[in-house]
Amino acid sequence: MTDTLLPNPTTTAKDWSSDQEPRWCPGCGDYSILKAVQMLMPSLGVKREDTVFLSGIGCAARFPYYMDTYGMHTIHGRAPAIATGLAMARPDLDVWVVTGDGDALSIGGNHLIHALRRNIDVTILLFNNQIYGLTKGQYSPTSERGKVTKSTPFGSLDQPFNPVSLALGAEATFVARTHDLDRAHMMETIRRAHDHSGAALVEVYQNCNVFNDGAFGAITAKANRESMLIPLRHGEPIRFGADGERGVVLDGQDGARIVDVAEVGADALLVHDEARPDPALAFLLSRLATGPHEPTPIGVFRAVVQPDYGAETDRQLAAAQAGTAADLATLLHSRPTWQV
């Protein structure tokens, strides 16, 4: 019996924690995400020696050091590209990418969207704190318009990226959002991303308490969650509030919009369908909020089944090999060749 057929050993969160002391600013949301992942790993049915965490540059990029698995601290923005190669060469491995909003969406934007559109079998955790933390507080691709920072002393002029919208635009097969103040929600969302076959992206709202403290407090503070977070549950009407008094409907003119349930009736509410093949409806939901100061959807936006790129590449190669005779002389003298 080979090792791959042996049952996975029972592990604990401590087994997944390396001997390196986490070095983030005291109070950073990264600690909460790290703990959630370490607590989740024993339940995933994977081995530490078959697990790889890859990262780029930024505060989030320290993550692989703190996981007792294989890992690599790569270069700025290139973790999705390296993960693509690894996932295709070693489909037996469990490949994760940990990145930040600056790392993933600025210099790494091209690599991210192509990993998503190709449906590479990787799990991507995108920590979004709407700022560059490691380099001391410059505005990032997700910073709101008018953001005053060291690099934008008069306020930023850029239209910010919405990471969920971007992933859906690239037609990622799994897209979700969670936040660092709800460990149970984080763990369940990340579990679902891991179990998905293909490219899975989870945006995690993460507080940078030094350079952008409270960026998400209007929606993630415990007192605000019922009225400001819109839970997406597959097969259920989309409603929120302490008594479910508010909800989401489809409007032919305005797309998806928030309403008072008493005014429209419960039957008018949009039923969430994360498995809908067309990502257009999920995209509409991702645009409900213009920023983390309005009621904001949270949970799984899209989860559809499509062949992953690595498996399709292997299938294509096998078919080509099966239909081609291994004749080196014929190959060397095939077109285009000529005699001199």
Side-chain angles (χ1 to χ4, degrees), residues 202-214:
V202 178
E203 177 190 23
V204 186
Y205 282 162
Q206 174 256 321
N207 190 51
C208 175
N209 60 313
V210 174
F211 296 108
N212 204 22
D213 193 25

Side-chain angles (χ1 to χ4, degrees), residues 320-321 323-338:
Q321 291 169 348
T324 303
D327 186 340
L328 181 60
T330 301
L331 176 64
L332 292 176
H333 292 88
S334 63
R335 298 177 63 186
T337 61
W338 59 94

Side-chain angles (χ1 to χ4, degrees), residues 110-130:
N110 190 49
H111 299 291
L112 177 68
I113 61 174
H114 290 298
L116 295 175
R117 76 172 181 88
R118 287 176 173 141
N119 202 30
I120 304 298
D121 192 17
V122 298
T123 305
I124 303 171
L125 307 182
L126 194 162
F127 300 6
N128 181 10
N129 55 25
Q130 296 190 331

